[in-house]
Amino acid sequence: MTSTINEVSIDAPSDNDAAIEVKRSFCRICHAACPIDVHLDGSQVVKISGVDDDPLFKGYTCIKGRQIPDQIHDPARLRHALKRSPNGTLEEVASSDALDEVAAKLHAILDEHGPRAIASYTGTGGYQNAPSHPVAQAFHRAVGSISYYTSVTIDQPMKATAPMRMGMWEAGPQNFSTADVMLAIGYNPMVSSFAPYGGLQGTDPFQTLRRRKAEGLKVIVIDPRRTELAKQADIHLQVKPGEDPALLAALLHVILTEDLHDAAFCDRWVEPGHLDVLRATVEQFTPHYAAERCGVDADDIVAAARLFAAGPTGSSGSGTGPSMSPHASLMEHLSLCLNVVCGRYLREGQQMDSGGLLPPAAPKRAQVIGPFGNPKGPQSRFRGLHGYNGEMPCSTLAQEITTPGPEQVRALIVNGGNPVAAWPDQIKSIAAMESLELLVVIDHRLTQTADYADYVFAPRLSLERADVPPFMDRWFREPYACYTPAVVTEPEGDLLNDWEVYWEIAERLGVDIELPGGSIPHRHADGSRPSDDDVLDLVYAKSRVPLSEVRAKNGTVVPEYAITVSPADPDASGRFHVALDDHMEELHAVRSETTSAEVMAGFDPAVHTFRLISRRLKSHLNSLGRELPGLARKNSTNYAYMHPADLDDLGIADDDLVRIASPHAELIGVVKGAPDVRRGVISMAHSWGSSNGTDEKVRDIGAPTNRLIDVDNGYCTITGQAVQSAIPVSVEPVSEDALLP
């Protein structure tokens, strides 16, 4: 039979043909790590299918993962290193020559400006490659540079800082597998394959939710859209964007006013006096007030609070949308407060759903550890911010590049990311790319960021490397072993795994990359290099379960490695600080607002009458997907989804153009009616658009919502998080003339 891969016809034998070989692997388009069967005709990947007998996923895959053959064999895929020529074009070069030149330039920058002048950014793609992040971090330690940045600090940095500041329960939240209630604040795992701990994960989410609801699970969703998850909710609070803190405060008001909280748990584990202060602070957030502020029904607020408090098990958790909105750290703090006051944590003798096989062994006691206060890492030059967990806040990186000074960043290595499309404040990001002395990109495609690169290294893709799922390992709903060898063992081209780029540069700079199991060996006398498995063994040398055991039991549930929660230490002194002074002050400030948009300078309620919110797409992951025909056919642009009644009021229809303007900048979008979006809201996916700051090709490549963002306006003072959702905007129809350059 004939199949089409990126519009290039190839002869692909049927699965009954003896030439077809099927090998087990797992998908790394996103972090869900869905197990897949890879159908190979020699070195040609002809089909991806789910693994029907997998004990967790039961054959589940998504549309993105099924496009891996197109990604692997895309004629436009980069298979050789590229170098910017004097005439401005990118031309092929041997990777060894490019590495020599990059290392020489980095050496000169180190000598003249010091280690902080060299920065790296690991994006979402880098996180789907287990050695990528730890090797990049180790490279920075080797050269002495603190300038390490990742996508984690773009969208949800408060996931780390909020428990750090409040205190965290060492054993973690109660399990989703046995939960009675789930409160989902702005996340939609049916599309994103993501949920916070204790929520519905991406492991076969549709069937899993159906089964859990049949077992009695109650679902509460807070979201401005009637998402796929919201359609399954027992209560959907379709909140106005950016008003989640007021709504969560109202839920706490009901729970504490009606004494629905777990008093015994709070007496033991909440810092004395804090519960009273929290109760007094949320007293002003009555259901009636929150209903008017948030645009939901007061009776539904009361019902949701009572349903969550009744539990008796379950958890609250938040997603990307509210985490990128105004008052994001406060929102996360209040979500955690709901778990604390209702005692929604695993207790002594209970078993964790997963616990992870790859992290080092660590105590899991039924007690609070911390709090640890504000981030105490190296100080940024901007907004008084500090790094944490070995990285710096990404919202400052463009300014670290463009602002002169003795610690100015002058060289940037981009690993599996796309700063021009993804970093908040595209205007500053483009200026940063243009001003770098050296920009190195590791990517399989020519992204918006690669348009500015001095060198581009072509990486091996998922099926071409050995791997484990570094993040999903901790989220699987049972202890589950997952590993893959390379299933395409001799890929075409001059390709390097992400870690190899850093290792090759380190070799030339004369520094060692130290990992938990020791340093990556130097090149052998015969010129051979360490393998992916060699590096994985070094990264996970101290894993709780030996990596050899994970390999041997790949694709199976391993109940013998389940974690049972230990008792608290007799002298355990950690307590939850639910009434942090700055957050209580911020709650008073929220109460004095009419809308959260007031945190942004330049906001005019008479002009900025809409709120733009972020969204995920089934067919794309951030900027990945536009280059694959099967996905591009699903969405040719990142539509500006609006309620049909709003389209009628503006006198526009599907596929018309509109100008969307924030207090900072504007873009041209293509509208589409969507009754699942509440009125006054525009819902757009991020990481689309051009590399030059214009929208003349919006119908083909979309428009970048990050252009509307100003990192200096309304940011979180704890994390530096920019307002990237619930952005106040105006909307007006425009003609095709608006696309003219």
Side-chain angles (χ1 to χ4, degrees):
M1 68 180 188
T2 298
S3 69
T4 301
I5 294 181
N6 269 18
E7 302 178 358
V8 175
S9 295
I10 64 169
D11 290 330
S14 71
D15 288 350
N16 295 323
D17 193 298
I20 294 296
E21 182 181 11
V22 179
K23 293 184 179 181
R24 167 90 178 233
S25 187
F26 68 90
C27 180
R28 279 146 286 170
I29 295 291
C30 81
H31 55 266
C34 299
I36 54 175
D37 279 333
V38 183
H39 301 247
L40 294 146
D41 179 12
S43 62
Q44 191 82 38
V45 181
V46 296
K47 188 174 79 171
I48 296 294
S49 59
V51 180
D52 291 337
D53 60 357
D54 184 85
L56 285 190
F57 290 81
K58 303 184 187 305
Y60 175 79
T61 60
C62 82
I63 186 174
K64 296 187 289 293
R66 294 191 293 273
Q67 310 306 308
I68 288 176
D70 280 5
Q71 185 190 54
I72 293 287
H73 302 297
D74 182 359
R77 175 188 170 183
L78 300 181
R79 293 188 177 274
H80 300 273
L82 302 174
K83 174 186 175 180
R84 184 76 58 186
S85 68
N87 66 10
T89 61
L90 286 169
E91 298 180 354
E92 284 189 11
V93 61
S95 64
S96 58
D97 293 340
L99 288 161
D100 288 343
E101 295 177 15
V102 167
K105 292 174 185 290
L106 290 175
H107 197 292
I109 290 171
L110 277 168
D111 285 346
E112 184 173 355
H113 302 290
R116 190 163 174 170
I118 297 176
S120 284
Y121 169 73
T122 297
T124 303
Y127 275 110
Q128 317 316 326
N129 184 349
S132 189
H133 168 61
V135 170
Q137 263 194 323
F139 172 82
H140 274 262
R141 290 193 296 270
V143 299
S145 173
I146 67 166
S147 303
Y148 184 65
Y149 301 79
T150 80
S151 55
V152 170
T153 60
I154 289 181
D155 56 3
Q156 297 189 67
M158 66 292 304
K159 293 295 184 188
T161 58
M164 180 192 308
R165 300 176 76 244
M166 173 196 268
M168 62 189 78
W169 191 254
E170 190 174 74
Q174 292 170 337
N175 296 324
F176 173 78
S177 63
T178 55
D180 297 296
V181 63
M182 178 179 77
L183 172 56
I185 308 164
Y187 69 86
N188 183 22
M190 275 65 175
V191 173
S192 68
S193 298
F194 164 83
Y197 288 119
L200 172 65
Q201 301 301 337
T203 46
D204 189 18
F206 292 91
Q207 295 288 352
T208 301
L209 181 61
R210 189 174 296 120
R211 173 177 56 79
R212 289 286 7 261
K213 284 181 66 67
E215 294 169 351
L217 173 72
K218 302 299 182 183
V219 178
I220 306 165
V221 172
I222 298 174
D223 203 297
R225 292 178 50 227
R226 192 165 181 263
T227 63
E228 289 82 350
L229 181 61
K231 291 173 184 176
Q232 303 299 318
D234 296 276
I235 300 175
H236 175 206
L237 301 173
Q238 197 167 9
V239 64
K240 292 179 182 177
E243 306 305 336
D244 305 270
L247 183 53
L248 296 179
L251 296 181
L252 285 164
H253 168 94
V254 174
I255 291 169
L256 294 175
T257 299
E258 298 185 3
D259 290 328
L260 303 177
H261 62 293
D262 187 332
F265 182 85
C266 291
D267 287 345
R268 175 66 181 88
W269 295 112
V270 173
E271 180 73 10
H274 272 238
L275 192 65
D276 291 337
V277 174
L278 178 65
R279 180 186 284 111
T281 306
V282 300
E283 185 177 5
Q284 56 193 327
F285 289 88
T286 64
H288 175 76
Y289 167 77
E292 184 175 349
R293 170 83 180 256
C294 304
V296 297
D297 186 88
D299 290 341
D300 287 343
I301 294 174
V302 174
R306 291 172 177 169
L307 181 61
F308 182 77
T313 63
S315 66
S316 167
S318 66
T320 302
S323 296
M324 298 199 303
S325 298
H327 304 297
S329 286
L330 174 63
M331 179 280 305
E332 184 66 19
H333 178 83
L334 295 175
S335 173
L336 294 176
C337 283
L338 285 166
N339 289 332
V340 171
V341 301
C342 294
R344 296 302 168 76
Y345 295 100
L346 291 171
R347 312 298 172 86
E348 175 186 347
Q350 294 182 322
Q351 195 174 94
M352 299 176 66
D353 267 359
S354 176
L357 308 185
L358 298 176
K364 296 296 180 183
R365 297 164 294 190
Q367 67 182 59
V368 177
I369 55 174
F372 304 103
N374 286 339
K376 298 179 176 66
Q379 185 163 4
S380 168
R381 294 192 292 155
F382 300 93
R383 298 188 282 287
L385 299 171
H386 287 261
Y388 52 91
N389 293 344
E391 57 186 275
M392 299 295 286
C394 195
S395 61
T396 67
L397 181 47
Q399 290 162 297
E400 295 280 7
I401 293 169
T402 57
T403 305
E407 296 177 325
Q408 181 180 4
V409 168
R410 298 169 184 273
L412 176 66
I413 302 173
V414 175
N415 175 19
N418 192 359
V420 171
W423 288 0
D425 203 332
Q426 190 189 55
I427 295 170
K428 289 185 179 68
S429 299
I430 290 176
M433 299 303 108
E434 291 175 332
S435 66
L436 282 163
E437 294 178 23
L438 176 65
L439 174 58
V440 177
V441 170
I442 306 169
D443 213 306
H444 68 282
R445 62 212 165 103
L446 285 174
T447 63
Q448 295 97 316
T449 304
D451 285 346
Y452 295 90
D454 298 294
Y455 297 87
V456 181
F457 289 98
R460 286 186 275 133
L461 291 177
S462 59
L463 301 184
E464 301 162 349
R465 61 182 190 246
D467 220 341
V468 293
F471 291 97
M472 200 63 194
D473 170 73
R474 294 172 286 174
W475 271 281
F476 291 131
R477 64 176 183 270
E478 295 184 68
Y480 176 80
C482 186
Y483 162 81
T484 184
V487 297
V488 177
T489 55
E490 296 183 1
E492 173 193 347
D494 182 6
L495 308 177
L496 297 170
N497 202 344
D498 301 354
W499 69 262
E500 291 179 286
V501 176
Y502 285 99
W503 174 76
E504 290 277 11
I505 294 172
E507 289 280 276
R508 289 160 170 79
L509 293 178
V511 297
D512 291 334
I513 293 182
E514 295 285 346
L515 298 169
S519 60
I520 301 179
H522 297 291
R523 191 184 310 279
H524 303 147
D526 63 0
S528 61
R529 64 181 66 211
S531 68
D532 291 343
D533 279 306
D534 292 334
V535 176
L536 286 172
D537 286 335
L538 293 172
V539 170
Y540 296 106
K542 298 181 181 179
S543 59
R544 184 171 72 90
V545 177
L547 199 53
S548 59
E549 185 79 351
V550 174
R551 290 185 179 105
K553 297 189 174 181
N554 177 44
T556 65
V557 173
V558 284
E560 64 270 30
Y561 292 116
I563 296 176
T564 299
V565 177
S566 302
D569 292 340
D571 59 349
S573 60
R575 298 292 185 272
F576 286 114
H577 287 214
V578 297
L580 293 168
D581 289 344
D582 54 358
H583 280 327
M584 297 305 98
E585 292 172 7
E586 191 175 1
L587 262 178
H588 286 298
V590 168
R591 186 61 176 79
S592 69
E593 297 169 351
T594 303
T595 167
S596 67
E598 292 172 13
V599 304
M600 300 189 69
F603 165 66
D604 184 341
V607 174
H608 304 111
T609 56
F610 286 83
R611 300 292 179 270
L612 186 142
I613 63 172
S614 60
R615 70 181 290 142
R616 300 287 185 182
L617 298 175
K618 291 180 181 180
S619 56
H620 292 66
L621 178 65
N622 301 333
S623 66
L624 180 68
R626 283 177 13 210
E627 72 279 11
L628 303 178
L631 299 180
R633 284 193 293 269
K634 299 292 182 181
N635 287 283
S636 61
T637 186
N638 59 334
Y639 283 104
Y641 292 98
M642 301 174 66
H643 193 280
D646 286 332
L647 297 188
D648 290 343
D649 287 350
L650 290 168
I652 54 178
D654 284 358
D655 294 310
D656 283 350
L657 299 177
V658 290
R659 177 177 286 107
I660 302 169
S662 73
H664 180 61
E666 64 182 43
L667 58 80
I668 303 297
V670 183
V671 299
K672 187 173 283 291
D676 64 346
V677 177
R678 73 168 290 147
R679 294 206 63 180
V681 173
I682 305 171
S683 176
M684 291 184 73
H686 53 272
S687 296
W688 288 64
S690 71
S691 62
N692 60 9
T694 63
D695 299 326
E696 64 267 15
K697 296 182 180 179
V698 62
R699 295 192 183 278
D700 301 316
I701 63 173
T705 58
N706 63 337
R707 188 190 304 150
L708 301 176
I709 298 161
D710 181 355
V711 294
D712 288 312
N713 192 356
Y715 65 90
C716 172
T717 57
I718 298 166
T719 65
Q721 172 84 27
V723 175
Q724 300 167 81
S725 194
I727 304 169
V729 295
S730 61
V731 182
E732 63 173 336
V734 295
S735 69
E736 297 291 330
D737 291 343
L739 301 181
L740 297 175

